[in-house]
């Protein structure tokens, strides 16, 4: 590995869920860095089975389906499979996705996405929906239990059904290693959601000088909402112009130039 590699021997802590961390870690490694994949959270299907079944068995009564995360898509299609519901029978439905990656995952499921906002945050998605959804149309929001209520609150004039299909859970298996790496020293920490910030802090808050240790590193947050959560904890950080993993990679590279 060349000493001129942009992230040469820089240790980068990835806090996102294990399955989602692979491509992120591969890009860091390609740039000469040392990725430390220590997921502070994990995901599980929602335990409100009766509600999910009732909604999905009557899904053809909706006009719009709105997906706010890739996780929501994965669990949504798991539920459809279990209930023996074919998406091909639902192609008349209009679909909105919070961002480009979410839209691409839907396309892999043969879903045609009609609406993707310019900025990959709920506020931008809400404005796009307001401009495209008629007041008489029924909207299904597919989300996790920790998603903010921006869309639900902002679409009050429409008939909205808020459906939690998965839950985000703190991953206690990684906590010992997270503490160990933070205390021995790392070069950068990446946060891809408010939940990763929250669970990371919860996992290390018994270290007396935890905030000082974090602020010795380069911290990159994926977007403004994650940034807001980091700021609430007093964490110094940077946010890329593009709210994507590639944007975070570019920001890391610029940090160590």
């Amino acid at each position: 590995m060349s000493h001129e590699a942009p992230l040469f021997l820089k240790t980068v802590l990835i806090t996102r869920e294990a399955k989602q961390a692979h491509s992120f870690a591969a890009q860091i490694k390609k740039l000469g860095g040392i990725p430390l994949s220590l997921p502070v959270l994990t995901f599980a299907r929602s335990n409100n089975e009766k509600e999910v079944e009732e909604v999905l068995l009557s899904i053809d009564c909706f006009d719009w389906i709105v997906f706010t995360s890739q996780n929501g898509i994965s669990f949504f299609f798991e539920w459809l499979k279990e209930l023996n519901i074919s998406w091909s029978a639902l192609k008349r439905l209009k679909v909105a996705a919070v961002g480009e990656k979410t839209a691409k995952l839907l396309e892999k499921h043969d879903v045609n996405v009609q609406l993707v906002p310019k900025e990959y945050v709920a506020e931008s998605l809400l404005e796009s929906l307001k401009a495209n959804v008629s007041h008489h149309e029924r909207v299904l929001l597919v989300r996790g239990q920790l998603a903010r209520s921006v869309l639900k609150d902002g679409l009050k004039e429409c008939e909205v059904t808020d459906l939690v299909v998965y839950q985000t859970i703190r991953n206690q298996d990684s906590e010992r290693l997270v503490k160990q790496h933070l205390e021995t020293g790392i070069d950068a920490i990446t946060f891809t959601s408010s939940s990763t910030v929250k669970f990371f802090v919860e996992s290390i808050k018994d270290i007396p000088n935890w905030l000082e240790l974090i602020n010795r590193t380069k911290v990159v947050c994926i977007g403004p909402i994650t940034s807001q959560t980091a700021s609430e904890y007093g964490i110094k950080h940077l946010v890329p112009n593009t709210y994507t993993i590639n944007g975070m990679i570019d920001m890391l590279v610029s940090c160590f130039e």
Side-chain angles (χ1 to χ4, degrees), residues 28-224:
I28 290 169
K29 193 171 182 179
K30 187 176 180 180
L31 294 170
I34 303 171
L36 302 172
S37 183
L38 293 173
V40 296
L41 51 75
T42 187
F43 304 108
R45 63 185 288 166
S46 176
N47 53 16
N48 58 335
E49 295 188 10
K50 186 175 180 182
E51 179 187 356
V52 174
E53 289 183 9
E54 287 178 354
V55 171
L56 294 185
L57 287 172
S58 60
I59 195 171
D60 57 350
C61 73
F62 291 97
D63 300 289
W64 282 88
I65 301 182
V66 181
F67 292 95
T68 60
S69 70
Q70 295 179 59
N71 292 315
I73 296 168
S74 300
F75 283 98
F76 175 82
F77 278 94
E78 280 187 22
W79 283 103
L80 287 191
K81 183 177 180 180
E82 184 173 313
L83 296 171
N84 198 29
I85 300 172
S86 171
W87 178 260
S88 61
L90 305 171
K91 287 195 172 182
R92 70 163 191 82
L93 300 177
K94 289 171 279 190
V95 178
V98 72
E100 181 183 349
K101 292 288 182 70
T102 309
K104 285 184 177 178
L105 182 56
L106 284 166
E107 289 168 3
K108 289 182 179 179
H109 287 280
D110 198 29
V111 176
N112 183 29
V113 180
Q114 282 78 27
L115 191 154
V116 180
K118 290 182 179 179
E119 288 192 28
Y120 306 152
V121 292
E123 286 79 1
S124 185
L125 178 57
L126 174 61
E127 293 308 309
S128 297
L129 286 167
K130 282 183 173 181
N132 287 276
V133 178
S134 301
H135 291 176
H136 68 276
E137 290 186 305
R138 297 190 65 186
V139 179
L140 176 62
L141 299 180
V142 177
R143 66 177 184 90
Q145 99 280 19
L146 296 182
R148 296 178 301 134
S149 61
V150 171
L151 296 175
K152 181 182 178 181
D153 294 343
L155 294 171
K156 286 182 177 178
E157 295 181 353
C158 304
E159 188 174 348
V160 177
T161 297
D162 193 28
L163 186 65
V164 174
V165 296
Y166 74 96
Q167 53 187 326
T168 305
I169 304 168
R170 181 173 162 189
N171 180 19
Q172 297 182 350
D173 293 340
S174 296
E175 290 187 5
R176 181 182 61 81
L177 287 173
V178 167
K179 290 177 183 178
Q180 178 182 317
H181 283 293
L182 186 63
E183 290 182 311
T184 56
I186 48 181
D187 295 298
I189 303 171
T190 60
F191 294 118
T192 52
S193 67
S194 288
S195 299
T196 58
V197 179
K198 177 177 180 291
F199 291 150
F200 182 86
V201 171
E202 287 181 0
S203 71
I204 52 92
K205 63 183 179 182
D206 59 343
I207 301 175
N209 61 333
W210 64 267
L211 184 57
E212 179 187 346
L213 292 175
I214 291 177
N215 285 338
R216 287 177 184 173
T217 72
K218 301 293 185 182
V219 177
V220 178
C221 294
I222 196 169

Side-chain angles (χ1 to χ4, degrees), residues 1 5-10 12 14 22-36 249:
M1 177 64 65
L7 298 178
F8 181 69
L9 296 184
K10 299 299 183 183
V12 181
I14 303 172
H22 293 309
S23 61
F24 197 174
Q27 290 183 69
I28 290 169
K29 193 171 182 179
K30 187 176 180 180
L31 294 170
I34 303 171
L36 302 172
I249 294 286

